[in-house]
Amino acid sequence: MVAEGAAAGRARDLSSYGDYSNTIGQAWVVRALSTASSSRAASTVEYLLKQQCADGGFRVSMADEQCGTPGAEQGPTVDATAFALQALEVAREHGVTGLDDDVDEATGWLLRTQAADGSFSDGGTPNTNSTGLAAATLKSVGQVGRAGAAASWIVSKQVTDAKAEDTALGNEIGAIAYDDAALQTGLEKGIPVEARDQWVRATAQAAVGVDAQLPPATFTVAAPTSYVAGGSTVAVRATGLASGEKARVVLAGGGAVSVFANADGLATASVKAPTRTGTVRATVTGSRSNRVGSTSVRVLAASARFPASVGATSVKVDGKVRVNARGLAAGEPVRVYYRSRYVATGKASSTGRFTTVIGVGPATGRKTVFVRGLTDTRQGTATLTVVR
C-alpha cells in the first residue's frame, strides 16, 4: 500500500515482474480492507475514485491523477466499472460514507452502456465475460430488470442439449461461449485445445451473471377493448415486470417493439396493428420466455365497403326515412352523415347490422346518405330523392 503522496491508497504489486496493478485489483483491495474494518480502507477508496471518469465509468489502468485530467484521458471499461461498483457497495456497507453519488454515477454508466439485447461489450465485442460481470453487479445494486436482460443474453450463448444436438459440442453441455463467433465455431468444430482456455474463462465469469435471471412470471397486459383500425398504432401496457426489465411487445401479424419497464415495473409501447380484420394477440415477453403475458385486440381493416339502403327512395320534404346497413363488425361504432352533416350514431348489432331513422329536411333533390364505421373509409352509401 502506498502511504503518502498522490498515490496514497494505491495497492501496488511487489514482484520481480514489476507492478501490474490496475483498477480491478484495487477494487478487490477496497473490498478486503473495508470488510476487515481496516483504518486504511478509506484511503484505498479515495484512490479507487480517482479512476472514475466524468461520465461515471472507471478506467482499468490506474493513474495518480483524476480520470479526465490532461494526460489521464483513458476511457472507462465495463469490467473495471463493474468491479469498482461492487467494491464501492461493499465499502458503503462497512461504513465508508459519501459514496452515494459515486455509486449512482457508476450504475448510470453501466445502464447507458448496455445494448438493446441485454449484452455488454469490452473492446467493441459483445461477450459473456463482461456481460456476466455486469449482470451480477447490476443485480447487487437493485437493477434486477436490466440484470435479468443481461442474464438472458448470456444463457443464449450456453451449450444446451437442444443446441448441441448433432453438433461438435455434444460433450460440452453447460459451457458458455465467449461470443457469437466462438459459439458458431464450437458448433461446427467443437472446442479445440487452443480455444478451451477462452471457454473456461468465459464460463467462469458468465456463470455469476446467470444467477441474475428473473423467475417465471405472468404479466397483466392491457390494450384497447374497442375496435382498432388496421394499420393504426395501438397502445399496449404491461404490469408485473421487474424495474428496468426489457420487454418485447408484439401484435400478431403487425408490429413489434422493445421497451424497458419503468421503476414500477410498467412497460408501455405503441405497436402497429395488422391491416386485416380479425382478433389478434398482443403479447409481452420479458427477459425470459417464461415471463410473459397477453391479451386480445380486435382489428378492423381500415378500408371496407358494406351494403347500405334507405327505406324509401322518394321522401317528402321534412319527412323521415329509415337507413339500414349490414356487413359491419359486431358492435362496430356507426355514424350517419346526410347533406355533409353528422345526423346519427350507434353501434352495429351482434350480426353486423345497423338501422336508424333520419329527417331529410326541406331541401329537394337527389341526396346521398353515408353510413360510416370505425373509420371514414369503412362506409356504405345510399341515395334518395326529396320531393314536395
Side-chain angles (χ1 to χ4, degrees), residues 97-113:
T97 60
L99 299 179
D100 291 354
D101 288 345
D102 305 304
V103 167
D104 289 345
E105 290 168 6
T107 301
W109 186 87
L110 280 179
L111 294 176
R112 293 191 303 273
T113 304

Side-chain angles (χ1 to χ4, degrees), residues 141-321:
V141 296
Q143 294 288 340
V144 293
R146 292 295 196 93
S152 179
W153 187 84
I154 294 168
V155 171
S156 72
K157 313 305 171 194
Q158 187 171 30
V159 181
T160 61
D161 284 326
K163 195 175 295 180
E165 186 175 3
D166 297 326
T167 75
L169 290 175
N171 294 323
E172 307 289 358
I173 305 303
I176 301 176
Y178 177 76
D179 57 13
D180 287 328
L183 179 59
Q184 186 59 40
T185 299
L187 291 170
E188 296 171 359
K189 302 179 180 179
I191 305 177
V193 172
E194 61 272 18
R196 187 160 295 274
D197 181 66
Q198 185 195 66
W199 279 79
V200 170
R201 290 172 179 267
T203 301
Q205 190 155 293
V208 300
V210 171
D211 190 48
Q213 288 187 101
L214 296 169
T218 300
F219 306 141
T220 299
V221 181
T225 56
S226 56
Y227 287 110
V228 300
S232 66
T233 298
V234 180
V236 179
R237 293 164 51 91
T239 56
L241 291 89
S243 172
E245 182 176 3
K246 180 185 175 183
R248 182 74 169 169
V249 184
V250 178
L251 268 181
V257 297
S258 294
V259 295
F260 288 103
N262 67 12
D264 297 321
L266 169 66
T268 59
S270 296
V271 191
K272 190 174 182 180
T275 57
R276 294 190 296 178
T277 295
T279 299
V280 300
R281 300 302 293 176
T283 303
V284 179
T285 306
S287 58
R288 302 175 69 184
S289 60
N290 59 3
R291 294 177 60 80
V292 66
S294 66
T295 191
S296 60
V297 177
R298 296 184 298 169
V299 181
L300 293 179
S303 297
R305 297 194 66 83
F306 44 81
S309 63
V310 289
T313 56
S314 179
V315 184
K316 288 187 177 182
V317 294
D318 296 322
K320 295 182 181 297
V321 68

